[in-house]
Amino acid sequence: QTYFFIHQKLKIMNRKQFLQNGLILSSAVILPMSSAFSQSVLEGGLDKITDENGNFVQSPLPYSESFLEPYMDEETLHLHYTYHHGGAVNGANKDMAKIREALDKNDFDLSDYWTQKMAHHVSSHVLHTIFWTNLTNQKTAPNGDLLKQIEKDFGSFDKLQGLLAKISKSVTGSGWGILGYQPYSDQLVVLQCENHEKLTHWGVIPLLVIDVWEHAYYLKYKNKRADFVDTLFNIINWDNVAERMNVALKIR
Ligand code: MN3
């Protein structure tokens, strides 16, 4: 009963916030395009996922936890960032410590276990770090060099969106839809990633990642993963994707 009450209350809050956001969006106020984060992508070339000692650390969100309302609700974003992304960061540090311990002791009995764990946790950390920066609270579209590359590799922006939406919605179990740059072939590619670490092409640099784990949408969208994916396509920060492609081209 208590749960039901809170749930109803949240629903009312969401509607109120939706109306507020609706007003903001319709009154032609220019909202910041997560400029702080864009800067760090350009400065470092790559996202910061470790500290100076090589330990994995979580960067702050590039916006407040309510910034993506009503598309992504504040509670989901809070839980997702703090416990799912945060948990992967803690896990990655533990896995790394266990592998170092195995090296110190020259005992590799459990090293395959920790190596697999580390692939899972580090991949989760990388993808979540990119995911937060890929989103904003207004509609954007690719242009310039990114649009040209999309048209070259997929035919049109619409076709890319159709392909990426389809493979994101149809991931088996937990995973991600990913648009990445493959430096070996100088092409954009779309990947249907399972969990955080499976079904990649080696070398691909992720540019745009769509989290379709249930934790990303279940509080608000329930079982409707497709609705969540369609909604995300309205708040993708294509400027961030373009910056990431520029960095990837430099790495090449
Ligand atoms: Mn997630």
Side-chain angles (χ1 to χ4, degrees):
Q1 269 183 338
T2 311
Y3 170 77
F4 180 76
F5 175 72
I6 293 168
H7 185 67
Q8 288 303 106
K9 210 173 151 191
L10 277 172
K11 265 165 71 177
I12 292 161
M13 275 175 55
N14 285 343
R15 200 174 307 135
K16 223 158 79 182
Q17 284 163 343
F18 178 85
L19 289 172
Q20 281 167 355
N21 280 17
L23 287 175
I24 291 166
L25 292 176
S26 63
S27 61
V29 174
I30 297 167
L31 296 162
M33 293 287 295
S34 64
S35 52
F37 195 84
S38 309
Q39 221 174 8
S40 73
V41 170
L42 289 176
E43 275 173 12
L46 287 171
D47 302 273
K48 181 177 159 60
I49 69 158
T50 56
D51 64 16
E52 56 281 2
N53 300 316
N55 297 310
F56 296 102
V57 289
Q58 197 176 13
S59 290
L61 280 170
Y63 35 65
S64 74
E65 288 177 347
S66 61
F67 185 72
L68 301 176
E69 290 270 7
Y71 314 100
M72 188 183 289
D73 59 292
E74 182 172 0
E75 189 185 17
T76 296
L77 184 50
H78 172 73
L79 297 172
H80 194 172
Y81 172 80
T82 308
Y83 299 106
H84 295 279
H85 182 184
V89 174
N90 294 338
N93 283 319
K94 181 178 177 181
D95 307 334
M96 187 167 59
K98 290 289 186 182
I99 290 168
R100 285 188 182 149
E101 200 180 297
L103 290 164
D104 286 346
K105 293 181 176 168
N106 211 26
D107 174 2
F108 302 114
D109 277 357
L110 292 176
S111 56
D112 49 355
Y113 175 79
W114 293 112
T115 303
Q116 287 171 28
K117 283 283 182 197
M118 192 160 168
H120 183 78
H121 288 136
V122 175
S123 298
S124 172
H125 184 19
V126 168
L127 292 177
H128 281 107
T129 300
I130 295 170
F131 181 56
W132 310 127
T133 72
N134 281 159
L135 301 173
T136 184
N137 61 2
Q138 58 186 336
K139 187 123 181 137
T140 66
N143 51 48
D145 289 345
L146 175 61
L147 182 60
K148 275 183 212 155
Q149 188 84 31
I150 288 170
E151 287 170 348
K152 177 169 95 61
D153 295 329
F154 302 103
S156 71
F157 177 47
D158 277 353
K159 286 186 182 190
L160 163 64
Q161 287 200 104
L163 174 65
L164 189 54
K166 165 69 183 171
I167 62 98
S168 300
K169 290 170 186 178
S170 59
V171 170
T172 303
S174 303
W176 300 74
I178 297 176
L179 170 69
Y181 175 72
Q182 172 54 278
Y184 290 120
S185 59
D186 187 26
Q187 279 175 342
L188 295 173
V189 293
V190 161
L191 307 173
Q192 188 184 56
C193 168
E194 289 179 8
N195 294 339
H196 302 296
E197 70 282 20
K198 295 175 185 169
L199 302 178
T200 187
H201 307 181
W202 297 113
V204 168
I205 299 166
L207 307 178
L208 168 61
V209 298
I210 312 258
D211 190 340
V212 293
W213 283 61
E214 284 184 350
H215 65 233
Y217 60 86
Y218 219 83
L219 285 182
K220 185 180 170 87
Y221 294 87
K222 308 290 181 252
N223 56 316
K224 301 209 163 57
R225 180 195 270 181
D227 290 357
F228 171 68
V229 171
D230 288 336
T231 300
L232 280 196
F233 273 94
N234 290 308
I235 55 165
I236 288 167
N237 185 345
W238 286 100
D239 295 342
N240 180 264
V241 179
E243 283 169 18
R244 290 183 175 281
M245 194 184 78
N246 288 339
V247 170
L249 289 170
K250 277 178 201 151
I251 291 171
R252 183 174 194 257

mmCIF file of all heavy atoms in Angstrom, residues 11 22 24 33 42 86 115 118-119 129 139 151 166 171-172 179 183 190 206 220 234 251:
data_model
loop_
_atom_site.group_PDB
_atom_site.id
_atom_site.type_symbol
_atom_site.label_atom_id
_atom_site.label_comp_id
_atom_site.label_asym_id
_atom_site.label_seq_id
_atom_site.Cartn_x
_atom_site.Cartn_y
_atom_site.Cartn_z
ATOM 1 N N LYS A 11 3.921 9.575 -9.907
ATOM 2 C CA LYS A 11 3.271 9.787 -11.199
ATOM 3 C C LYS A 11 2.758 11.217 -11.312
ATOM 4 O O LYS A 11 2.887 11.860 -12.348
ATOM 5 C CB LYS A 11 2.110 8.787 -11.372
ATOM 6 C CG LYS A 11 2.565 7.557 -12.144
ATOM 7 C CD LYS A 11 1.614 6.394 -12.050
ATOM 8 C CE LYS A 11 0.315 6.599 -12.801
ATOM 9 N NZ LYS A 11 -0.507 5.366 -12.690
ATOM 10 N N GLY A 22 7.665 21.238 -20.353
ATOM 11 C CA GLY A 22 6.973 21.610 -21.575
ATOM 12 C C GLY A 22 6.976 23.111 -21.755
ATOM 13 O O GLY A 22 7.231 23.620 -22.842
ATOM 14 N N ILE A 24 9.130 25.223 -20.422
ATOM 15 C CA ILE A 24 10.498 25.684 -20.683
ATOM 16 C C ILE A 24 10.847 25.476 -22.156
ATOM 17 O O ILE A 24 11.323 26.375 -22.826
ATOM 18 C CB ILE A 24 11.517 24.923 -19.791
ATOM 19 C CG1 ILE A 24 11.326 25.333 -18.328
ATOM 20 C CG2 ILE A 24 12.933 25.231 -20.213
ATOM 21 C CD1 ILE A 24 12.024 24.420 -17.344
ATOM 22 N N MET A 33 24.053 22.877 -23.610
ATOM 23 C CA MET A 33 24.267 21.591 -24.280
ATOM 24 C C MET A 33 25.394 20.817 -23.610
ATOM 25 O O MET A 33 26.380 20.463 -24.244
ATOM 26 C CB MET A 33 24.602 21.817 -25.760
ATOM 27 C CG MET A 33 23.466 22.389 -26.560
ATOM 28 S SD MET A 33 22.193 21.166 -26.853
ATOM 29 C CE MET A 33 23.106 20.036 -27.870
ATOM 30 N N LEU A 42 37.013 16.836 -25.678
ATOM 31 C CA LEU A 42 37.972 17.425 -26.597
ATOM 32 C C LEU A 42 39.353 17.562 -25.973
ATOM 33 O O LEU A 42 40.361 17.284 -26.601
ATOM 34 C CB LEU A 42 37.493 18.809 -27.041
ATOM 35 C CG LEU A 42 36.288 18.792 -27.981
ATOM 36 C CD1 LEU A 42 35.835 20.211 -28.282
ATOM 37 C CD2 LEU A 42 36.615 18.040 -29.261
ATOM 38 N N GLY A 86 27.812 3.061 -10.884
ATOM 39 C CA GLY A 86 28.728 3.095 -9.736
ATOM 40 C C GLY A 86 29.168 1.696 -9.312
ATOM 41 O O GLY A 86 30.336 1.469 -8.966
ATOM 42 N N THR A 115 39.260 -12.102 -14.921
ATOM 43 C CA THR A 115 39.434 -11.472 -16.237
ATOM 44 C C THR A 115 38.084 -11.262 -16.918
ATOM 45 O O THR A 115 37.820 -10.208 -17.507
ATOM 46 C CB THR A 115 40.345 -12.351 -17.121
ATOM 47 O OG1 THR A 115 41.585 -12.536 -16.443
ATOM 48 C CG2 THR A 115 40.619 -11.696 -18.461
ATOM 49 N N MET A 118 36.239 -8.513 -15.144
ATOM 50 C CA MET A 118 36.789 -7.193 -15.473
ATOM 51 C C MET A 118 36.331 -6.731 -16.851
ATOM 52 O O MET A 118 36.029 -5.551 -17.049
ATOM 53 C CB MET A 118 38.312 -7.216 -15.381
ATOM 54 C CG MET A 118 38.906 -5.823 -15.414
ATOM 55 S SD MET A 118 40.572 -5.794 -14.745
ATOM 56 C CE MET A 118 41.063 -4.154 -15.265
ATOM 57 N N ALA A 119 36.251 -7.642 -17.809
ATOM 58 C CA ALA A 119 35.737 -7.282 -19.144
ATOM 59 C C ALA A 119 34.314 -6.726 -19.014
ATOM 60 O O ALA A 119 33.954 -5.729 -19.648
ATOM 61 C CB ALA A 119 35.747 -8.507 -20.054
ATOM 62 N N THR A 129 29.646 5.824 -19.081
ATOM 63 C CA THR A 129 30.289 7.140 -19.125
ATOM 64 C C THR A 129 29.912 7.866 -20.416
ATOM 65 O O THR A 129 29.585 9.061 -20.410
ATOM 66 C CB THR A 129 31.823 6.983 -19.027
ATOM 67 O OG1 THR A 129 32.141 6.346 -17.788
ATOM 68 C CG2 THR A 129 32.531 8.326 -19.093
ATOM 69 N N LYS A 139 15.804 18.368 -28.836
ATOM 70 C CA LYS A 139 16.032 17.654 -30.089
ATOM 71 C C LYS A 139 17.229 18.265 -30.825
ATOM 72 O O LYS A 139 17.326 19.480 -30.979
ATOM 73 C CB LYS A 139 14.778 17.763 -30.955
ATOM 74 C CG LYS A 139 14.841 16.916 -32.199
ATOM 75 C CD LYS A 139 13.669 15.938 -32.260
ATOM 76 C CE LYS A 139 13.772 15.095 -33.514
ATOM 77 N NZ LYS A 139 13.467 13.694 -33.253
ATOM 78 N N GLU A 151 25.597 9.386 -44.090
ATOM 79 C CA GLU A 151 24.991 9.175 -45.418
ATOM 80 C C GLU A 151 25.832 8.225 -46.264
ATOM 81 O O GLU A 151 25.304 7.397 -47.007
ATOM 82 C CB GLU A 151 24.784 10.524 -46.114
ATOM 83 C CG GLU A 151 23.635 11.297 -45.468
ATOM 84 C CD GLU A 151 23.497 12.743 -45.931
ATOM 85 O OE1 GLU A 151 24.430 13.264 -46.603
ATOM 86 O OE2 GLU A 151 22.479 13.363 -45.589
ATOM 87 N N LYS A 166 16.005 -0.494 -34.312
ATOM 88 C CA LYS A 166 15.633 -1.911 -34.415
ATOM 89 C C LYS A 166 16.585 -2.801 -33.607
ATOM 90 O O LYS A 166 16.137 -3.648 -32.823
ATOM 91 C CB LYS A 166 15.635 -2.322 -35.890
ATOM 92 C CG LYS A 166 15.625 -3.804 -36.158
ATOM 93 C CD LYS A 166 14.315 -4.469 -35.786
ATOM 94 C CE LYS A 166 14.395 -5.984 -36.023
ATOM 95 N NZ LYS A 166 13.226 -6.664 -35.479
ATOM 96 N N VAL A 171 17.644 -6.397 -28.654
ATOM 97 C CA VAL A 171 18.726 -7.071 -27.934
ATOM 98 C C VAL A 171 18.138 -8.224 -27.118
ATOM 99 O O VAL A 171 17.122 -8.054 -26.450
ATOM 100 C CB VAL A 171 19.446 -6.089 -26.980
ATOM 101 C CG1 VAL A 171 20.402 -6.824 -26.055
ATOM 102 C CG2 VAL A 171 20.172 -5.003 -27.758
ATOM 103 N N THR A 172 18.788 -9.383 -27.171
ATOM 104 C CA THR A 172 18.346 -10.515 -26.365
ATOM 105 C C THR A 172 18.799 -10.306 -24.921
ATOM 106 O O THR A 172 19.994 -10.210 -24.659
ATOM 107 C CB THR A 172 18.957 -11.827 -26.900
ATOM 108 O OG1 THR A 172 18.591 -11.971 -28.270
ATOM 109 C CG2 THR A 172 18.454 -13.027 -26.112
ATOM 110 N N LEU A 179 26.326 2.828 -31.925
ATOM 111 C CA LEU A 179 26.885 3.360 -33.166
ATOM 112 C C LEU A 179 28.353 3.642 -32.881
ATOM 113 O O LEU A 179 28.669 4.355 -31.923
ATOM 114 C CB LEU A 179 26.172 4.655 -33.569
ATOM 115 C CG LEU A 179 26.820 5.449 -34.723
ATOM 116 C CD1 LEU A 179 26.688 4.703 -36.046
ATOM 117 C CD2 LEU A 179 26.197 6.842 -34.830
ATOM 118 N N PRO A 183 38.009 2.258 -36.973
ATOM 119 C CA PRO A 183 39.162 2.897 -37.618
ATOM 120 C C PRO A 183 39.821 2.014 -38.673
ATOM 121 O O PRO A 183 40.379 2.541 -39.644
ATOM 122 C CB PRO A 183 40.122 3.191 -36.456
ATOM 123 C CG PRO A 183 39.640 2.398 -35.307
ATOM 124 C CD PRO A 183 38.200 2.072 -35.527
ATOM 125 N N VAL A 190 27.094 -0.253 -36.752
ATOM 126 C CA VAL A 190 26.105 -0.429 -35.696
ATOM 127 C C VAL A 190 26.300 -1.813 -35.084
ATOM 128 O O VAL A 190 26.444 -2.806 -35.804
ATOM 129 C CB VAL A 190 24.678 -0.242 -36.262
ATOM 130 C CG1 VAL A 190 23.645 -0.846 -35.339
ATOM 131 C CG2 VAL A 190 24.388 1.242 -36.472
ATOM 132 N N PRO A 206 33.135 3.452 -29.556
ATOM 133 C CA PRO A 206 31.721 3.797 -29.420
ATOM 134 C C PRO A 206 31.504 5.321 -29.487
ATOM 135 O O PRO A 206 32.254 6.087 -28.876
ATOM 136 C CB PRO A 206 31.343 3.285 -28.025
ATOM 137 C CG PRO A 206 32.472 2.437 -27.565
ATOM 138 C CD PRO A 206 33.688 2.873 -28.318
ATOM 139 N N LYS A 220 9.711 3.764 -15.255
ATOM 140 C CA LYS A 220 8.821 4.664 -16.000
ATOM 141 C C LYS A 220 8.140 3.975 -17.178
ATOM 142 O O LYS A 220 6.962 4.164 -17.419
ATOM 143 C CB LYS A 220 9.620 5.869 -16.485
ATOM 144 C CG LYS A 220 8.771 6.935 -17.157
ATOM 145 C CD LYS A 220 9.630 8.104 -17.617
ATOM 146 C CE LYS A 220 8.847 9.046 -18.502
ATOM 147 N NZ LYS A 220 8.113 10.075 -17.767
ATOM 148 N N ASN A 234 14.643 11.149 -29.293
ATOM 149 C CA ASN A 234 14.299 12.580 -29.256
ATOM 150 C C ASN A 234 15.272 13.408 -28.423
ATOM 151 O O ASN A 234 15.195 14.639 -28.440
ATOM 152 C CB ASN A 234 12.888 12.758 -28.683
ATOM 153 C CG ASN A 234 11.844 12.257 -29.644
ATOM 154 O OD1 ASN A 234 11.837 12.645 -30.818
ATOM 155 N ND2 ASN A 234 10.970 11.389 -29.174
ATOM 156 N N ILE A 251 42.344 9.652 -33.483
ATOM 157 C CA ILE A 251 42.982 8.423 -32.992
ATOM 158 C C ILE A 251 43.435 7.568 -34.171
ATOM 159 O O ILE A 251 44.481 6.932 -34.134
ATOM 160 C CB ILE A 251 42.006 7.653 -32.056
ATOM 161 C CG1 ILE A 251 41.797 8.431 -30.758
ATOM 162 C CG2 ILE A 251 42.527 6.241 -31.764
ATOM 163 C CD1 ILE A 251 40.696 7.882 -29.875
#
